């Protein structure tokens, strides 16, 4: 299948090109040229299928033309070698726990898939000699998922840029202790400085002539599309438990809107989800857009659900494209909400007291939207996008109880930290890369 640019002024490209380039030449985002409908039989049997089987079936209609089926199957099965359980919380509400992967956040799914796909493309091109260099700026979750996803993938080197002293020890240990093909660059500056270094690197002609550079954020189709898999799997788990699955509502904690956009495409492929809720913290430009029809990006503000602190969500262009720019059509499928830090904390406390379930701050935003907006005949699923232990320093004082650190996370913290120190000027970063 080919991919077109949402800006529509460049020719379509192959999956391979879309993955390596990340962004289209006209600065648009890549979208699949067709969104295939899955057969009714698939949905009839979906309750009997495993996560890997469902994911492979979905992957096949999207990526099946681009590689041999056993290759695709291996990539999918290897990506999803952990479970994504749907847990009943109470009152028609379920948590889709996306935190059982290696770095305990949903970004593992897309990052692992992209890494394996890029590794495969390198191999068939005989490119293992010429390294692909992935640059990623992070304030936490993205860096750890990408670094772990690409760990040991032949022909790929990853550089994680993060702000010195601004990432918690738990988060940091997940990308500074890995070694092998992963380099952590500790920048004496802010997250914005890290992002600026990456952007400058992509725009520098001399540097791009010297080495092949690519990005691994949710703009990349190979990171964003695989997130569709678990929406289907959530539905399959629901089918096993509920008589009536005709009124399913899915609430998604949203920042750059990659996760929810994957869900919207799943719906377009036939997944019977009645409606979506885009749950925002105080960074709520999308919520404003739903109310007014006007999209007005603004600088982000810091909240306790910081992976959603985004003032200009990059996947908004994909949503507009998917709904042919119709505000009415978008509002028919998606509603919004916005909660302050105080409200997020309140929800975490209340939920812990009444059910014993520990929400992370991001999942809490989505769960609250179900508490407030779910109708009696509806069944709600919220995406629990990260394990609460990843935000231990925030969660413990709020709920007033200890959060146990899973063994997987504790293991990272035992490793030895290894970083390259860098100031925030582009000259020294470029010099460093040119020497490689
Ligand atoms: C990245 C992230 C989000 C936001 O996801 P988007 O796809 O950017 O909307 C939400 N929660 C957590 C824990 C995250 O790491």
């Amino acid at each position: 299948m080919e991919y077109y640019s949402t800006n529509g002024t460049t020719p379509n490209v192959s999956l391979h090109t879309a993955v390596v380039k990340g962004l289209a030449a006209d600065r648009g985002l890549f979208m699949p040229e067709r969104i295939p409908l899955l057969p009714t039989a698939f949905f009839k049997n979906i309750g009997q299928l495993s996560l890997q089987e469902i994911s492979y079936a979905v992957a096949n209609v999207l990526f099946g033309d681009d590689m041999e089926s056993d290759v695709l199957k291996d990539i999918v099965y290897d990506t999803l070698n952990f479970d994504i359980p749907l847990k009943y919380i109470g009152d028609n509400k379920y948590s889709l726990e996306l935190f059982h992967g290696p770095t305990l956040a949903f970004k593992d799914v897309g990052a692992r898939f992209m890494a394996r796909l890029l590794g495969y493309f390198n191999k068939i091109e005989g490119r293992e000699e010429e390294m692909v260099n992935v640059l990623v700026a992070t304030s936490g979750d993205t860096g750890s998922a990408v670094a772990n996803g690409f760990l040991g993938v032949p022909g790929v080197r990853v550089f994680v840029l993060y702000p010195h002293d601004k990432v918690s020890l738990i988060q940091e240990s997940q990308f500074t202790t890995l070694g092998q093909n992963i380099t952590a660059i500790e920048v004496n500056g802010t997250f914005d400085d890290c992002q600026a270094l990456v952007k400058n690197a992509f725009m520098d002609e001399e540097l791009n002539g010297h080495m092949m550079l690519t990005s691994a954020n949710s703009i990349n189709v190979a990171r964003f599309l695989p997130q569709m898999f678990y929406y289907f799997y959530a539905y399959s788990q629901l089918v096993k438990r509920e008589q009536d699955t005709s009124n399913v509502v899915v609430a998604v904690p949203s920042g750059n809107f990659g996760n929810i956009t994957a869900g919207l495409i799943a719906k377009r492929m036939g997944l019977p989800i009645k409606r979506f809720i885009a749950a925002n913290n105080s960074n709520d430009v999308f919520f404003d857009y739903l109310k007014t029809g006007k999209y007005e990006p603004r600088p982000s503000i810091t909240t306790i659900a910081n992976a959603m602190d985004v003032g200009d969500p990059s996947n908004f262009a994909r949503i507009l494209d998917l709904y042919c720019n119709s505000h009415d059509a978008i509002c028919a499928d998606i509603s919004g909400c916005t909660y302050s830090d105080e409200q997020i904390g309140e929800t975490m406390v209340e939920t812990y007291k009444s059910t014993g379930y520990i929400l992370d701050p991001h999942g809490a935003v989505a769960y609250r939207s179900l508490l407030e907006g779910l109708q009696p005949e509806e069944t709600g699923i919220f995406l629990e996008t990260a394990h609460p232990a990843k935000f231990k320093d925030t969660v413990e004082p709020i709920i007033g109880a200890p959060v146990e650190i899973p063994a997987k996370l504790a293991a990272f913290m035992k490793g030895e930290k290894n970083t390259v120190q860098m100031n925030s000027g582009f000259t020294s970063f470029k010099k460093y890369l040119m020497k490689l």
Side-chain angles (χ1 to χ4, degrees), residues 353-400:
K353 270 197 201 145
S354 61
T355 69
Y357 196 77
I358 303 180
L359 293 162
D360 100 290
H362 307 82
V365 178
Y367 183 57
R368 185 174 179 123
S369 74
L370 291 180
L371 289 172
E372 289 185 1
L374 198 70
Q375 301 303 309
E377 75 282 6
E378 293 176 330
T379 307
I381 296 174
F382 73 99
L383 270 45
E384 185 38 295
T385 44
H387 193 285
K390 289 197 94 168
F391 308 95
K392 192 178 165 69
D393 299 345
T394 307
V395 177
E396 284 183 341
I398 290 177
I399 64 167

Side-chain angles (χ1 to χ4, degrees), residues 121-343:
F121 282 143
N122 281 350
K123 202 164 93 190
I124 53 161
E125 298 247 313
R127 269 254 189 73
E128 273 156 300
E129 297 300 300
E130 194 195 343
M131 283 280 169
V132 178
N133 299 279
V134 175
L135 302 183
V136 59
T138 189
S139 54
D141 282 349
T142 305
S144 50
V146 169
N148 282 274
F150 282 83
L151 184 64
V153 173
V156 183
R157 248 181 338 205
V158 176
F159 299 89
V160 180
L161 289 85
Y162 76 105
H164 166 72
D165 258 359
K166 292 190 181 66
V167 173
S168 77
L169 217 63
I170 295 184
Q171 296 272 53
E172 189 190 61
S173 67
Q174 294 172 83
F175 51 81
T176 59
T177 60
L178 300 171
Q180 295 185 53
N181 58 333
I182 311 300
T183 305
I185 299 184
E186 194 170 4
V187 177
N188 205 343
T190 62
F191 169 68
D192 290 334
D193 292 329
C194 297
Q195 209 156 19
L197 286 176
V198 170
K199 275 194 188 143
N200 278 319
F202 287 133
M203 288 187 311
D204 191 281
E205 254 176 65
E206 193 187 4
L207 193 56
N208 282 273
H210 173 68
M211 64 203 311
M212 199 197 300
L213 296 175
T214 191
S215 83
N217 54 28
S218 64
I219 283 180
N220 202 298
V221 288
R223 251 203 67 191
F224 133 79
L225 289 173
Q227 296 171 355
M228 212 184 299
F229 302 157
Y230 46 73
Y231 287 89
F232 289 90
Y233 184 55
Y235 179 75
S236 103
Q237 295 179 78
L238 204 60
V239 165
K240 277 189 234 165
R241 300 189 46 136
E242 300 274 338
Q243 301 285 324
D244 180 6
T245 53
S246 54
N247 290 300
V248 180
V249 178
V250 180
V252 187
S254 294
N256 260 323
F257 280 69
N259 207 357
I260 196 170
T261 305
L264 297 169
I265 296 185
K267 179 172 160 74
R268 203 57 77 79
M269 288 172 81
L271 184 66
I273 292 175
K274 185 173 136 194
R275 62 187 183 94
F276 287 85
I277 304 173
N280 279 155
N281 60 25
S282 300
N283 296 281
D284 53 7
V285 290
F286 186 78
F287 182 63
D288 284 346
Y289 165 78
L290 292 175
K291 279 191 301 191
T292 64
K294 286 197 197 83
Y295 181 68
E296 287 168 337
R298 42 175 198 263
S300 68
I301 50 177
T302 304
T303 76
I304 59 169
N306 67 345
M308 290 152 58
D309 293 349
V310 179
D312 184 7
S314 43
N315 288 287
F316 182 69
R318 284 194 167 116
I319 297 182
L320 279 183
D321 186 83
L322 202 56
Y323 289 92
C324 303
N325 293 302
S326 162
H327 178 251
D328 286 346
I330 290 174
C331 291
D333 274 1
I334 319 168
S335 65
C337 66
T338 169
Y339 299 121
S340 65
D341 277 2
E342 202 186 341
Q343 289 172 307

